[in-house]
Structure formats: C-alpha cells, structure tokens
Amino acid sequence: MSPKLPTDIETPAVVVDVALLERNMATAARIKRESGAKVLLATKAFALPAVFPMMREVLDGTTASGEYEARLGRETFGKEVHVYAPAFSEPEVRRLLTLADHIYFNSASQLARFLPMVKAAGKQGSAKHVGIRINPGYSNATVGGALYDPCAPCSRFGATRDTLDEMPWDDIEILHAHALCESMADGSAGLIEKVGRDFAKYIGRVKAVNFGGGHFINKPGYDVARLIAAIKAFREKFGVEVILEPGGGLIVDAGWLVSTVLDIHRNEKDIAILDTSASTHTPDVLEVPYTPRVVGAGKPGEKPHGYILGGKTCMTGDVIGEYSFDRPLKVGDRVVFEDMAQYTFVKNTTFNGTPLPDIGLLEKDGTYRVIRRFGYEDFARRVGA
Ligand SMILES: Cc1ncc(COP(=O)(O)O)c(C=O)c1O
C-alpha cells in the first residue's frame, strides 16, 4: 500500500501511520471482546508513548523485557505492567517490585532465588502476580528458523517439562508459554491446543495462562476467528484467564521507513546508496534475514531498472536488498520501505555515527508530525562525550 506521505519529509524517518495503527487495534479489540482474553502490547516491538493514549483505550497494558521497558510501560502506558526476562539480577527484581504487577521467571532457580523478595514485597502491600515461563516444546516460528524459535534445541527460554513438578505451584499464578514468531492462526491455535493437552496438570494450579507473542493477528490471511475459537475452548475447559502479548502482530504494516538516495554507485550492478542503513536502522533485515517491500518497486528483473539498495555504513553487508523500478533512480529520490514500525526504531544504533531516523506520525488528517528528531548529542552521549 502506498502511503500518502507529504513530499517534504526529512529523511531518514520512521513514519507511523495512526489510521493503520487504529485498524490494527480494532483486531485486538475484537479478540478481547469475542474471546475474553486480555491483550498486552510487547513494548520490545514498539515503544512509542506518543500513540499510547490511543492504544491504551483497547489494550490491557504492556509487557516488558526488563526494568527499563517495565518503567516505560508504568510511566507512559499505565494499566497492567508485566515483565519477563530469561534471568533477572537481584537489584533489577528489587526495582521491578515497584514497577511491575506481574513478574515471570524463567526457571526453578530464579523462582527459588526471588520468591522470598516478591513475598516480602507482598506483605508490605505491593502484591505481585508471579508467573513461570515454560518451554512448551512447540516450534512454529515462520521466519528466521532456529534464530527466532523459542523452542529450538538448547533454547534458554522457559522451564523444561522435567523441572515442572518441583515448582512451588502454590505461589505461581500464571503459566507463560511464548513459542511463536510471526505465526498465523494455525500456529496460535496449535500452541493453545498443545499446552492444553500436555500441561493440563499445571494449568489446574494457576489462575491465568499467557500465550506470549508471535500471534501475527493483523497479517493479511490471519484467521482471527480461529484464534478466538481456540481461546474460548481453552477458557471453557480450564476456567482460567488467557493473556496474549503480541508485539509485531499489533504493529504490522502500520508504518514506513522513508529514505533518500544519496548516490548511485556502479560495480557490475547499479547500487543506490541511501541515507538509511540495514545495519543501524533495520537490523532485522540482516538478522532474520529478509528483504523488505519497497513502495513502487518489484523483484529484480520485474521492472526495467535494477538496483541494489545499500546503507551508508562501512559494513560490507549493509545491503537492504535487490529491487527493480519503473524509472532509473537518481540522487534525491525517495525510497519508502514498508512495514517498518515494528522492531525498527526500538533496535536502532548509531554505529559509524549514523544519524538515527526521525520518528514521526502520519496523523489521520494527513498531517505529518515529528515526534523525535535525534542529533549529534544522542551519538556523543552514548560514547561518554
Ligand atoms: C516473551 C515474549 N513475549 C512477547 C513477544 C512479542 O513477540 P512478537 O513481537 O513476535 O509478537 C516476544 C518476542 O520476542 C517475547 O519474547
């Protein structure tokens, strides 16, 4: 889909389209309404307080990957704050006890170490809900192979089945089973059904089951009714609350990365060097890896003018992909990458002193508003200048 972006946007810029974000929120609202599940935003995918007031109207809160995200959720989103990490340090747990309402541990050893602190906080009036993340042994990540599969062999995520009997179930309120990544409804329903089949004995001990993120609920083709039916069946069978905590699934296709061609270089092929960079601005392009869609461009050979699109860092592999265009690219042309609101600005770095992209909002009335512009100070402060 082509965004109606003003032509004078300064680049590089991550532009979040408020209307598209609202469209995505409507899916979350439907899931909540029809299934009775709670839906949280995983801020690891998208931490943008400027749009939290609108998201807060639908969602039940946020889920964090550690102290800083928990604090951001507490201070800028409100409602419920959940937090999970593969391991916490003692000072982190101490601070989390003032920030989060729900704390999920990854192992029997972390539980044993921190349960006394959590209980002591409870006695002083700040009651926390304790969860344990299990490894359900369910592989369904649709991208990135083992790199993005929480249940890949030797994964560090979640207590393994053989350790569950020894857990202090009297103190655990939530079973957490995050296993998906960009999964369609078959994956979501498959996970819910597998956990119901294989872990029934433990579900009987808790009040809620959190089926994590990775439910790609706003991806075209995702069968939302199937997810809703699976949640309803699970809730009816076990009488527990169900929680989902998607990140990407709430944000998919709701934003753009707008860049400008700085030069056309020739080395066997035409190479357009952009003012953006895979390495610093869209690291998932290299990590997953994948080739993002570009507005108006086709695959190599589909259109008459072929280009490799590359970043401006020193890293040889800082290449976004190979594309073709109807017309030759020239210096100053705009290149717009699709689906760039999730897992982009939250992961950006200033490697090479590369300027960070603006973060902007395309408002519903078509106006463009820069939320945050970064400068030399953001680079310099991080290296201690
Ligand atoms: C524990 C947990 N919850 C939620 C999420 C969000 O996943 P996604 O953005 O794929 O929906 C992740 C992603 O890594 C995660 O590890």
Side-chain angles (χ1 to χ4, degrees):
M1 186 207 280
S2 182
K4 293 184 186 57
L5 297 170
T7 49
D8 55 353
I9 285 181
E10 275 192 43
T11 68
V14 172
V15 179
V16 174
D17 188 319
V18 175
L20 295 177
L21 197 57
E22 276 192 15
R23 173 206 62 188
N24 286 2
M25 287 303 112
T27 308
R30 176 183 167 200
I31 292 167
K32 279 168 52 75
R33 192 174 57 243
E34 294 183 23
S35 76
K38 281 188 175 171
V39 181
L40 310 169
L41 166 68
T43 45
K44 68 182 73 186
F46 182 81
L48 193 58
V51 287
F52 283 175
M54 178 267 278
M55 299 178 84
R56 183 164 53 222
E57 282 177 24
V58 172
L59 303 177
D60 296 282
T62 54
T63 192
S65 323
E67 179 191 343
Y68 289 173
E69 279 189 6
R71 181 170 166 188
L72 192 84
R74 169 61 66 222
E75 292 179 356
T76 66
F77 197 105
K79 297 183 113 174
E80 294 183 11
V81 178
H82 296 233
V83 63
Y84 157 82
F88 295 113
S89 71
E90 190 181 319
E92 187 176 19
V93 172
R94 198 175 316 113
R95 290 189 292 266
L96 281 172
L97 289 172
T98 67
L99 297 169
D101 316 292
H102 303 72
I103 304 185
Y104 301 83
F105 296 102
N106 192 55
S107 63
S109 53
Q110 283 261 302
L111 251 179
R113 193 165 157 214
F114 296 124
L115 209 47
M117 277 171 68
V118 178
K119 284 184 170 177
K123 281 196 190 116
Q124 283 157 19
S126 99
K128 303 293 155 195
H129 304 278
V130 170
I132 181 75
R133 178 166 175 180
I134 61 161
N135 184 323
Y138 180 79
S139 290
N140 186 269
T142 64
V143 291
L147 266 190
Y148 284 79
D149 175 7
C151 298
C154 303
S155 158
R156 63 196 186 287
F157 301 125
T160 51
R161 176 74 209 229
D162 55 312
T163 62
L164 295 188
D165 282 340
E166 70 201 53
M167 295 286 171
W169 288 103
D170 288 344
D171 293 312
I172 296 173
E173 283 180 66
I174 320 171
L175 192 82
H176 183 285
H178 168 76
L180 307 177
C181 183
E182 299 201 358
S183 297
M184 301 303 273
D186 281 358
S188 301
L191 171 66
I192 293 168
E193 286 156 14
K194 178 165 170 69
V195 169
R197 260 193 326 272
D198 293 0
F199 299 91
K201 153 177 172 193
Y202 308 107
I203 298 166
R205 304 295 308 268
V206 296
K207 294 198 178 107
V209 178
N210 182 330
F211 286 107
H215 310 271
F216 222 15
I217 53 175
N218 280 294
K219 187 75 178 169
Y222 187 98
D223 184 353
V224 176
R226 172 117 202 256
L227 169 68
I228 290 169
I231 296 172
K232 278 174 74 174
F234 188 91
R235 290 185 61 224
E236 273 157 30
K237 179 158 186 208
F238 294 104
V240 291
E241 183 175 80
V242 166
I243 303 164
L244 304 179
E245 49 179 37
L250 290 172
I251 311 301
V252 61
D253 287 334
W256 325 89
L257 173 64
V258 187
S259 68
T260 301
V261 176
L262 298 179
D263 194 22
I264 306 291
H265 190 72
R266 175 92 200 160
N267 183 353
E268 296 181 45
K269 295 182 176 182
D270 285 325
I271 303 157
I273 301 176
L274 307 177
D275 63 354
T276 189
S277 151
S279 172
T280 62
H281 299 165
T282 65
D284 278 3
V285 164
L286 303 180
E287 280 177 27
V288 171
Y290 79 104
T291 305
R293 285 166 283 141
V294 167
V295 174
K299 294 199 168 80
E302 253 176 41
K303 294 177 183 254
H305 303 281
Y307 293 88
I308 293 171
L309 300 183
K312 66 192 292 278
T313 74
C314 65
M315 184 205 173
T316 307
D318 188 1
V319 169
I320 299 171
E322 199 166 344
Y323 301 84
S324 62
F325 294 81
D326 290 322
R327 279 182 293 279
L329 286 181
K330 56 182 189 325
V331 171
D333 279 353
R334 198 156 74 167
V335 174
V336 180
F337 295 91
E338 298 188 24
D339 188 20
M340 283 294 172
Q342 47 150 335
Y343 291 106
T344 50
F345 61 90
V346 287
K347 295 184 93 172
N348 285 176
T349 75
T350 54
F351 175 57
N352 276 207
T354 306
L356 294 166
D358 283 353
I359 302 175
L361 291 186
L362 183 61
E363 303 281 12
K364 284 198 285 181
D365 64 5
T367 53
Y368 176 65
R369 181 158 67 95
V370 176
I371 298 298
R372 181 82 159 91
R373 172 156 293 158
F374 303 90
Y376 166 75
E377 299 69 30
D378 296 288
F379 162 65
R381 200 172 43 222
R382 288 182 51 193
V383 293

